[in-house]
Amino acid sequence: MTAAAVPATSPARTGEQPGVRLARSRRNAELSLLLLAMVLVAAYGATVEANVLDTVTPDFWVPAATLGLVFLGLHLVIRWLAPFADPALLPAVALLNGIGVGFLRRYDLAWAKPADRESLAIFAGTGGRQLAWTLAAVILAAALLAIMRDHRSLSRYAYTLGLAGIVLVMIPAVLPGKFSEVNGAKLWIRFGGFQIQPGEFAKLALLTFFAYYLVRKREVLSLASRRVLGIDFPRGRDLGPVLVVWMISILVLVFEKDLGTSLLYFGMFVVTLYIATERVSWLLIGLVLFFGGAYLAYVLGGTVGGPFANFYVRAEIWLDPFDDPHNKGYQLVQGLLTLGTGGLFGAGPGGGQPTLLPEVQNDFIFAGIGEEIGLFGLSALLVIYLLIVERGLRAALAVRDSFGKLLAGGLAFTLGLQVFVIVGGISKLIPLTGQTTPFLSAGGSSLMANWLLIATLLRVSDGASRPVTPSGPAARPSGGPPEQLHGAPTEVIRP
C-alpha cells in the first residue's frame, strides 16, 4: 500500500508546528492594520495644519511616525509574548490614541499666537505631553504582557487587588478639597505639580476581584427563590454583595461628587454578576437600586443639601442647561452648540473653534472633535470603540476558563460603559460626569489605565486562541499545577 502524498504546504513538509501559521497570519494582519492607522493619523495631522496654518509644514509627519515607532515596539512585544492575541485590538486603539494626540496638537495651535504657530515644536504643549504619556502607557502595557504570561495568575492576588481598589477609591474622598477636587468632582490626588486619578486604576483592580469572587460564588448567586413574569429572582439573603457594592457606589456619588464614576463601579459589578449567573433579574435589581439611589440623592440635595448639594446642582443643570447658559450651564450649552455646529460632516480637521469650549482637552474632547469631523466622523469613532468592545467580548466567549470569561467580559463592558458615560454627558443624555474619553482625552492616568486594560484583553485573547496541546501553555498555566491555580477554576480540556 502506497502512503498518501504529503501536501507541499503541510506542517510536516514545512516544519511548522501547529498554530505557527495562525500566529504569523494574525500578527501580519495586525501590522498591516497598524500601518493603515498611522497613515490616517498622518493625514489627519496634515489636514489640521492645512486648515490652521494655510500650509503643511515639512515635519507634519513626525507625530504620526513617533507614534508608529512606539506602537511598532508594542507589536513586536505581542508577536513575541502573545502571538495568538486578537489582531484588531492594537490597531483600533492606536488609531484612537493617534487621533487624540493629533487633536491636542490642534488645540495647542489654536492657543498659540498666529506668528508662532508654524514654529510650534512637535513635542510642546498638551499634544507633546500626551505623546510622552502614550510612550509611558505603551511601555507599561508591554511590561504587563511580559510579567503576566497567563491571565489566570491574576487570581492569586484577587483579594489584595480588591483591597487596593477600595483604598484607591477612598483616598480622594477623604482628602481635603484642595488636594483632590477638580471642577467640583473629588477624583484626584494632587500635590504640587503632580496629580493622578486613582479611580482609573481602581476599576481594573476591583474588576479582577469581582471576577474571582463571582466565579467562586456563582452557584449560590444563581439560585432562584421565586419566578415573576417569567424572570427568576434571587433569594433575599443572596442580595448582600449587590447591596455592598451599591452602597459604595452611592458613597462615591455623594462624597466624590461624580455620577460617572459611581455608575461605572456599580455597572461593571452588576454586568459581571449577570455574565456569571445568566440571571436577567440581577440587571433589573441593579437598575432599580442605582437609579433609586440617584433619585434619592437628588431629592436630599434639594431639601437637606450638605454632601448631596453638588449632585443636585449637576442634575438641575442637566435638566435645563439653558436656564443659566452664561454661568452654571455654560459648559454643557457650549458643548451642545459645538456638536450642532459640526453638523453631519463637520468643519474639517483644524476648522473648528476649540478655544470656545471649556475643558475641550479633557471632558469635552469628543464634542471638540465632533465640531470638526461631524456626526459621521463621530459615528466612525464610536464604531471603533464598539469594535474594541466586541473583540473583548469575543475573547471572553472563546477563553476556556471561567475566570478569564468574567475578566474579559467585564473589561470590555467597562470600556464601553465609560464611553457611554462621557458621550451621554456631553450630549445631555445623562448628567455631566468627570470621566475622560478613553485614549482621546489628555492625561496620563486614564491613558495608562486603559492601555493596561487593553494589555489584559490581549493576554486573555492569546490564551483563548492558543492551540490546546497536552503539555502546552494552554493546558498548563504558568506558575501553578495543571489542575488548579490558587483557586482559579480551570475546566478539564478533553481531546
Side-chain angles (χ1 to χ4, degrees):
M1 182 179 295
T2 303
V6 179
T9 58
S10 69
R13 179 67 62 88
T14 61
E16 290 183 337
Q17 296 179 355
V20 171
R21 183 176 301 173
L22 172 63
R24 182 183 298 119
S25 174
R26 284 191 161 216
R27 301 284 65 83
N28 291 340
E30 179 182 78
L31 180 59
S32 300
L33 291 173
L34 187 58
L35 293 175
L36 175 61
M38 291 303 99
V39 169
L40 293 176
V41 172
Y44 179 85
T47 308
V48 165
E49 290 196 354
N51 283 327
V52 176
L53 306 176
D54 291 328
T55 185
V56 179
T57 60
D59 54 356
F60 80 92
W61 54 272
V62 174
T66 305
L67 287 170
L69 290 175
V70 171
F71 297 138
L72 178 61
L74 182 57
H75 163 76
L76 295 176
V77 171
I78 296 172
R79 186 179 283 266
W80 173 40
L81 296 176
F84 297 94
D86 193 294
L89 283 172
L90 175 59
V93 176
L95 179 57
L96 291 173
N97 201 156
I99 291 176
V101 171
F103 180 80
L104 292 173
R105 172 162 172 77
R106 183 264 176 278
Y107 172 77
D108 294 332
L109 290 172
W111 279 106
K113 296 179 180 179
D116 299 334
R117 288 176 178 173
E118 286 194 34
S119 60
L120 184 67
I122 294 294
F123 300 100
T126 307
R129 286 194 298 273
Q130 190 73 352
L131 203 56
W133 279 122
T134 299
L135 174 61
V138 170
I139 291 175
L140 198 61
L144 182 62
L145 287 173
I147 295 171
M148 182 178 63
R149 298 302 182 95
D150 190 290
H151 62 271
R152 287 170 287 188
S153 63
L154 284 176
S155 62
R156 296 179 182 180
Y157 315 103
Y159 287 102
T160 303
L161 289 172
L163 178 61
I166 293 175
V167 171
L168 290 173
V169 171
M170 291 175 57
I171 290 176
V174 300
L175 285 176
K178 65 178 181 179
F179 295 117
S180 63
E181 189 168 332
V182 176
N183 297 327
K186 298 185 64 176
L187 300 174
W188 297 84
I189 299 174
R190 307 169 64 202
F191 292 100
F194 171 80
Q195 63 180 25
I196 186 173
Q197 193 170 355
E200 292 287 345
F201 301 95
K203 67 184 181 185
L204 303 179
L206 289 173
L207 191 56
T208 303
F209 169 73
F210 292 160
Y212 177 78
Y213 173 80
L214 292 174
V215 165
R216 297 174 66 89
K217 301 295 183 181
R218 64 178 176 179
E219 297 297 333
V220 174
L221 296 172
S222 298
L223 297 176
S225 63
R226 64 184 62 187
R227 190 175 182 86
V228 179
L229 299 177
I231 300 176
D232 293 321
F233 282 85
R235 301 176 301 177
R237 59 178 176 271
D238 296 329
L239 294 176
V242 172
L243 293 177
V244 170
V245 178
W246 174 72
M247 284 299 301
I248 293 175
S249 69
I250 294 300
L251 292 176
V252 169
L253 174 66
V254 173
F255 292 102
E256 295 194 356
K257 307 174 184 178
D258 187 65
L259 175 68
T261 304
S262 174
L263 178 58
L264 190 66
Y265 293 153
F266 188 64
M268 68 184 188
F269 176 76
V270 171
V271 169
T272 307
L273 178 56
Y274 166 70
I275 296 173
T277 63
E278 300 181 7
R279 296 288 189 191
V280 179
S281 56
W282 285 117
L283 294 179
L284 298 178
I285 292 171
L287 289 173
V288 170
L289 285 175
F290 184 81
F291 288 110
Y295 180 74
L296 179 61
Y298 170 74
V299 173
L300 292 175
T303 55
V304 178
F308 304 97
N310 183 272
F311 177 67
Y312 176 79
V313 171
R314 288 202 175 207
E316 286 292 301
I317 294 172
W318 167 61
L319 291 172
D320 189 8
F322 293 93
D323 181 56
D324 189 8
H326 300 292
N327 189 13
K328 294 180 180 179
Y330 180 76
Q331 187 181 29
L332 181 54
V333 168
Q334 287 297 114
L336 294 172
L337 293 176
T338 298
L339 289 172
T341 302
L344 292 177
F345 302 100
Q353 300 183 31
T355 56
L356 300 179
L357 183 58
E359 298 297 328
V360 68
Q361 77 278 17
N362 294 319
D363 298 7
F364 275 73
I365 193 170
F366 205 75
I369 294 176
E371 182 185 16
E372 300 190 344
I373 65 176
L375 179 61
F376 287 166
L378 289 182
S379 298
L381 291 182
L382 290 176
V383 168
I384 296 174
Y385 281 116
L386 185 62
L387 173 65
I388 297 171
V389 172
E390 184 270 335
R391 304 305 286 199
L393 294 176
R394 175 176 292 192
L397 291 172
V399 74
R400 301 172 182 88
D401 65 289
S402 299
F403 175 74
K405 289 180 182 296
L406 294 186
L407 182 63
L411 289 173
F413 172 80
T414 299
L415 180 65
L417 181 60
Q418 186 168 349
V419 174
F420 165 78
V421 164
I422 186 63
V423 175
I426 66 173
S427 60
K428 200 179 169 296
L429 181 63
I430 62 175
L432 277 176
T433 69
Q435 292 293 312
T436 56
T437 310
F439 308 110
L440 290 178
S441 296
S445 300
S446 175
L447 198 59
M448 288 192 289
N450 284 304
W451 269 107
L452 288 176
L453 184 153
I454 294 299
T456 307
L457 286 180
L458 286 169
R459 176 55 69 203
V460 174
S461 67
D462 175 67
S465 301
R466 189 177 292 271
V468 179
T469 57
S471 59
R476 181 185 295 270
S478 60
E483 297 81 14
Q484 196 78 3
L485 182 64
H486 291 268
T490 58
E491 280 76 26
V492 178
I493 303 171
R494 302 185 184 279

